[in-house]
Amino acid sequence: MIKINSINPKNNHLVVNWNDGTNDSFHYVWLRDHLQCSDFFDSNTKERLVDAHTYLTNTQPNEINIKNGNLNILWPGEKMQSEYSAQWLHSNSYSKKCLNSKKESFLESIDWQFNSFEEVARFDYQKIFKDNNVAYQLLNHFCNNGFSFIENAPQKPGVVKEITNWLGYLREVSFGDVRDIKNEAGSLNVAFTSREAKPHIDGTNYIHPYVVQFLHCIQNQAEGGNSNIVDGFAMANNLKKINQSAFDTLTKVKVKYKIGAGEHDMSHSAPVIELDREGKLYLIRFSNQQRRELSIPFEDIENFYFSYNLFSKMVNDPTNQLKFRFQPGNILMFNNLRILHAREAFNLNSGLRHLQLASTDIEMVYSRLRRLSNNKIP
Ligand SMILES: [Fe+2]
């Protein structure tokens, strides 16, 4: 069991020497901020009770002791010493090696290595619910590759609701909760027609497009209508490699997207390639069909079109696409921020093509993976 052997107080931090021969350093301001006593911290909810600025101005300890291998500190203005258990301190160390070990491996996205859809793993629908190992593999594959492919689901409406509820909840979007993907007379969106839908993500008109999508095939007897998906992150990485300037342009120039959805007037302008605060790929906001009037400075126009054309060519290149045909009972689970999806036109008179689509939040995937990793789900 981890214990504190000795301590070495410095000017603004404390060096803690553990009984395993290693050491970690903790700033006094960090230690005071992480008080565990009930005046400052609700141990049930794990919520802080006091405003930081009211007690983090004077953080030089009056006394520091080791008691039973744990750390005890008397802070200014306090009558009692505050205890920090060695185990808690050790597991919350923010040394460089600890920060690195706390990174969650499932958060890493890996550019595709698939040569054809035949190489893609298949997950059995019933086993996802019954076998935690299968559930973990499904969600881990989804995080690494941006999608997972499920087989043998019931061929009936409502299955997407069942699986989003299994993960957490179903997220409603402007088109509704469960969306029927089939030809609808007078539809405002290409998805609900029999026309071809070129590679795109959904929800480009949202500031934060919805992330996790389940697309379930109930019937597919129509001629045509074959599907394909493209790894948007791999395409962006490729663009960066062959033309950094074009990549930079697509991370900066704002493109307007608008999608007709009943009485709503929802539009948003944002770059095609969005990076997170660490500069990593976050979102490929690509939907040529839903792109609206380009309104950018005169001198930027030609540069934008040059860059956009390069990217458009890549995502529409058949060698970059994984082609497949939805069979009844198949479900494509995909990260809508990364994976572009597409469908050929289909013949309306040749049979019914009916899919259902539902969304949930990525936090539900991460939450389930953490719980499965910690064996918290029986
Ligand atoms: Fe779509």
Side-chain angles (χ1 to χ4, degrees), residues 145-164:
N145 297 287
F147 76 101
S148 281
F149 196 73
I150 302 166
E151 290 183 322
N152 305 322
Q155 298 164 27
K156 61 176 188 183
V159 165
V160 284
K161 199 167 187 173
E162 198 173 84
I163 196 157
T164 49

Side-chain angles (χ1 to χ4, degrees), residues 132 135-136 139 368-377:
N132 285 339
Y136 186 90
L139 300 178
R368 181 59 59 90
L369 277 166
R370 286 186 195 112
R371 289 181 68 87
L372 288 166
S373 304
N374 295 329
N375 292 320
K376 283 187 178 162
I377 292 183

Side-chain angles (χ1 to χ4, degrees), residues 241-256:
K241 251 183 248 161
I242 63 169
N243 195 318
Q244 176 80 45
S245 164
F247 175 86
D248 291 342
T249 298
L250 294 189
T251 63
K252 290 187 186 109
V253 174
K254 287 184 177 177
V255 175
K256 182 179 177 182

Side-chain angles (χ1 to χ4, degrees), residues 58-70:
N58 185 358
T59 56
Q60 208 63 31
N62 284 346
E63 277 179 38
I64 309 176
N65 306 107
I66 304 169
K67 283 186 187 164
N68 301 322
N70 299 318

Side-chain angles (χ1 to χ4, degrees), residues 4-226:
I4 299 172
N5 264 359
S6 63
I7 50 176
N8 186 7
K10 303 283 185 184
N11 183 35
N12 67 343
H13 68 277
L14 182 70
V15 180
V16 173
N17 300 307
W18 308 107
N19 60 350
D20 64 3
T22 62
N23 66 69
D24 283 311
S25 296
F26 299 90
H27 289 85
Y28 297 132
V29 67
W30 186 95
L31 288 164
R32 182 122 214 228
D33 186 37
H34 290 79
L35 285 170
Q36 305 288 296
C37 51
S38 59
D39 289 350
F40 287 85
F41 185 72
D42 184 331
S43 59
N44 286 327
T45 61
K46 312 287 185 210
E47 289 179 1
R48 295 167 200 276
L49 302 173
V50 183
D51 291 325
H53 69 276
T54 62
Y55 67 102
L56 293 182
T57 46
N58 185 358
T59 56
Q60 208 63 31
N62 284 346
E63 277 179 38
I64 309 176
N65 306 107
I66 304 169
K67 283 186 187 164
N68 301 322
N70 299 318
L71 181 68
N72 280 57
I73 298 181
L74 182 64
W75 293 105
E78 301 296 325
K79 295 189 181 78
M80 304 270 290
Q81 289 202 340
S82 302
E83 186 179 78
Y84 300 82
S85 83
Q87 200 169 358
W88 182 86
L89 263 184
H90 190 259
S91 62
N92 284 288
S93 166
Y94 51 92
S95 69
K96 205 169 182 180
K97 81 175 156 30
C98 290
L99 290 184
N100 287 337
S101 70
K102 281 175 187 168
K103 282 183 185 161
E104 291 170 311
S105 61
F106 58 77
L107 296 177
E108 291 298 319
S109 63
I110 304 161
D111 288 357
W112 286 354
Q113 304 294 322
F114 309 115
N115 293 311
S116 79
F117 204 76
E118 302 310 308
E119 295 176 10
V120 172
R122 267 85 166 144
F123 297 91
D124 181 78
Y125 186 77
Q126 297 302 336
K127 284 187 186 163
I128 295 165
F129 294 84
K130 290 176 189 155
D131 186 335
N132 285 339
N133 189 41
V134 174
Y136 186 90
Q137 296 304 326
L138 170 91
L139 300 178
N140 195 52
H141 187 281
F142 167 86
C143 289
N144 292 159
N145 297 287
F147 76 101
S148 281
F149 196 73
I150 302 166
E151 290 183 322
N152 305 322
Q155 298 164 27
K156 61 176 188 183
V159 165
V160 284
K161 199 167 187 173
E162 198 173 84
I163 196 157
T164 49
N165 285 343
W166 164 77
L167 204 49
Y169 51 81
L170 193 159
R171 177 183 163 175
E172 192 165 3
V173 303
S174 61
F175 289 108
D177 47 14
V178 172
R179 287 93 83 192
D180 284 292
I181 311 293
K182 58 184 180 183
N183 185 61
E184 283 173 17
S187 173
L188 291 169
N189 191 294
V190 70
F192 309 116
T193 69
S194 61
R195 296 202 309 272
E196 179 182 16
K198 293 281 198 170
H200 67 283
I201 70 155
D202 291 342
T204 46
N205 56 338
Y206 275 73
I207 296 168
H208 300 292
Y210 25 99
V211 185
V212 183
Q213 302 233 78
F214 289 95
L215 185 55
H216 171 227
C217 178
I218 297 166
Q219 286 200 60
N220 192 8
Q221 291 150 0
E223 284 169 14
N226 290 341

